[in-house]
Amino acid sequence: MAKKAGKGYILVCLQLLLCFSQINCIRAKGEDGSDDEIKGMFVFGSSLVDNGNNNYLENSTAKADFLPYGIDFPKGPSGRFTNGKNVIDLLGEMLKLPCLIPPFSDPSTKGSKVVHGVNFASGASGILDDTGFLAGQVISLNQQIRNFETVTLPQVKKQLGVNRRENRKAMKKYMFIMGTGGNDYLFNYFARKGEYNVSLETFTVNLTTSLSLQLKKLYRLGARKFVLMSVYPLGCSPMLNAMRKDGCIEVMNQAAILFNDGLKSIIDAAKSDMPTSNLVLVNSYNIVTDIIQNPSSKGFKDANNPCCEVVPLTQLAGNGVSCKKGGRICMERSAHVFFDGLHPTEKVNVEIATKAFTSDLKTEVYPINVNQLAQL
């Protein structure tokens, strides 16, 4: 009798734990019972915010589903281009979302799994459809938005039980994160310089004009809260170490500055272009530049070299960016700014996400921070 009672008690406990874990992962209201908190995030962009979509692209060379990527991530290699969590994971934690945002390309990302958002980002992709040609197969930003419109949005509406009229109100509880643009310079404009007969300034205007149209499409689909991640200081990335003798490559940093100024202009114009929207610019360029120029002040020791072993451009099959499969890796990951030839370590991602969420400096977030955006 005692044994049966003991087994019954254990069974009840397991059922309760399962129940609580399910509630924790699909709850629609805040912990205080309110329904005014951010419900989830829809993420668009490139490898800096990709949570694993490229894992499912057979012909893509831009992948991070192998060690040493993910060496410090609880689930191991997942397709995130860093050693641990990326900015999306960290912002999700700060917004108290119950689950990691699943990648769109994962066949299991459907039904109740889309309620708290979906990540559409694809490593090596860009704003322009032909950006990413060097990586073979990628998901362009236009295709990412089509995936949201035709596949995910109808599922979200069904899960939430909302009709077309109620959709805009429901979408106000979601943040739309956009992290793209750098690849359009590194792996398109500068990689194909001889094919472009336009100046850097003209190329940038075309780029930001395209992005503005893509944001307006999301707005028409119901998006109201946007977070735009600026482009990093491209000319300071380790992939360019062989090309730079002293300091960073200024023309590439100038490209990033021009683009980021364009993002700010998009936000200022949104008052009339997208009147019921709110947009935030996270100036990752300034945040990362400050770390590179003053690494010791943030606890970093190396702001120039990748933590993992990277196959250089000068070697066969080398792209200067990706970690070598099973290659060497530094012991002090938190002391490095860059994990591979282009992407930051988790510690840098923590710096960016923290400032995005809490900073009051207009040079880091504009015009408000992500936490303030969440309250609107």
Side-chain angles (χ1 to χ4, degrees), residues 29-162:
K29 296 185 178 183
E31 292 176 2
D32 60 354
S34 66
D35 197 22
D36 58 359
E37 295 185 352
I38 292 297
K39 187 184 290 289
M41 295 188 294
F42 295 110
V43 184
F44 306 84
S46 59
S47 53
L48 292 168
V49 292
D50 184 357
N51 278 11
N53 280 299
N54 281 17
N55 296 356
Y56 303 89
L57 301 181
E58 185 177 348
N59 298 318
S60 178
T61 60
K63 294 188 178 184
D65 56 350
F66 55 88
L67 287 171
Y69 290 111
I71 191 169
D72 299 311
F73 190 67
K75 296 184 178 181
S78 62
R80 289 163 171 79
F81 290 78
T82 185
N83 59 302
K85 297 174 182 176
N86 65 16
V87 171
I88 299 304
D89 302 319
L90 296 161
L91 284 177
E93 290 177 1
M94 293 173 185
L95 289 167
K96 299 181 181 178
L97 301 185
C99 304
L100 292 171
I101 305 300
F104 171 82
S105 298
D106 186 336
S108 70
T109 302
K110 57 186 176 182
S112 62
K113 283 194 174 183
V114 306
V115 170
H116 294 291
V118 173
N119 191 315
F120 301 88
S122 174
S125 71
I127 295 167
L128 304 178
D129 286 344
D130 60 347
T131 295
F133 72 98
L134 291 174
Q137 186 182 9
V138 301
I139 308 169
S140 69
L141 182 57
N142 279 323
Q143 185 59 51
Q144 292 174 34
I145 294 172
R146 283 193 291 269
N147 290 341
F148 169 74
E149 178 183 15
T150 61
V151 181
T152 301
L153 184 57
Q155 290 188 37
V156 173
K157 289 180 183 178
K158 183 178 179 180
Q159 290 296 315
L160 298 179
V162 299

Side-chain angles (χ1 to χ4, degrees), residues 53-346:
N53 280 299
N54 281 17
N55 296 356
Y56 303 89
L57 301 181
E58 185 177 348
N59 298 318
S60 178
T61 60
K63 294 188 178 184
D65 56 350
F66 55 88
L67 287 171
Y69 290 111
I71 191 169
D72 299 311
F73 190 67
K75 296 184 178 181
S78 62
R80 289 163 171 79
F81 290 78
T82 185
N83 59 302
K85 297 174 182 176
N86 65 16
V87 171
I88 299 304
D89 302 319
L90 296 161
L91 284 177
E93 290 177 1
M94 293 173 185
L95 289 167
K96 299 181 181 178
L97 301 185
C99 304
L100 292 171
I101 305 300
F104 171 82
S105 298
D106 186 336
S108 70
T109 302
K110 57 186 176 182
S112 62
K113 283 194 174 183
V114 306
V115 170
H116 294 291
V118 173
N119 191 315
F120 301 88
S122 174
S125 71
I127 295 167
L128 304 178
D129 286 344
D130 60 347
T131 295
F133 72 98
L134 291 174
Q137 186 182 9
V138 301
I139 308 169
S140 69
L141 182 57
N142 279 323
Q143 185 59 51
Q144 292 174 34
I145 294 172
R146 283 193 291 269
N147 290 341
F148 169 74
E149 178 183 15
T150 61
V151 181
T152 301
L153 184 57
Q155 290 188 37
V156 173
K157 289 180 183 178
K158 183 178 179 180
Q159 290 296 315
L160 298 179
V162 299
N163 57 35
R164 187 174 181 179
R165 184 178 297 179
E166 298 167 326
N167 178 55
R168 288 181 183 177
K169 183 179 178 182
M171 287 296 104
K172 284 180 68 176
K173 300 183 188 301
Y174 291 89
M175 283 195 182
F176 286 71
I177 316 293
M178 186 67 69
T180 188
N183 291 337
D184 292 286
Y185 291 102
L186 284 175
F187 306 119
N188 197 334
Y189 182 78
F190 288 114
R192 305 163 75 173
K193 192 67 188 296
E195 299 177 34
Y196 280 105
N197 294 317
V198 298
S199 66
L200 181 60
E201 290 76 11
T202 301
F203 180 82
T204 300
V205 169
N206 292 337
L207 205 57
T208 53
T209 299
S210 296
L211 180 60
S212 178
L213 292 173
Q214 290 158 329
L215 293 172
K216 288 173 185 174
K217 181 172 183 178
L218 288 171
Y219 178 78
R220 290 194 299 273
L221 293 172
R224 290 298 180 267
K225 294 180 179 178
F226 295 89
V227 177
L228 310 184
M229 307 296 297
S230 85
V231 169
Y232 289 18
L234 301 173
C236 300
S237 58
M239 69 172 287
L240 302 173
N241 280 355
M243 298 169 59
R244 53 186 179 138
K245 295 180 180 179
D246 188 24
C248 303
I249 299 178
E250 285 309 312
V251 66
M252 291 191 174
N253 281 355
Q254 183 60 34
I257 291 171
L258 285 171
F259 179 79
N260 296 337
D261 287 345
L263 292 183
K264 187 174 180 294
S265 296
I266 288 175
I267 290 178
D268 292 337
K271 294 181 180 68
S272 58
D273 293 345
M274 301 186 287
T276 59
S277 68
N278 289 282
L279 291 82
V280 167
L281 170 63
V282 178
N283 201 324
S284 308
Y285 183 98
N286 287 347
I287 297 169
V288 174
T289 297
D290 183 50
I291 294 172
I292 291 173
Q293 293 178 346
N294 307 283
S296 60
S297 67
K298 304 290 183 182
F300 294 95
K301 297 178 182 177
D302 192 329
N304 298 309
N305 302 296
C307 170
C308 72
E309 181 181 359
V310 173
V311 182
L313 286 164
T314 52
Q315 290 187 21
L316 185 66
N319 59 19
V321 176
S322 302
C323 293
K324 181 180 179 181
K325 287 186 180 180
R328 297 187 304 275
I329 186 171
C330 66
M331 295 303 294
E332 290 186 273
R333 264 93 68 186
S334 62
H336 277 252
V337 173
F338 293 96
F339 185 64
D340 62 11
L342 184 61
H343 307 97
T345 56
E346 179 185 81

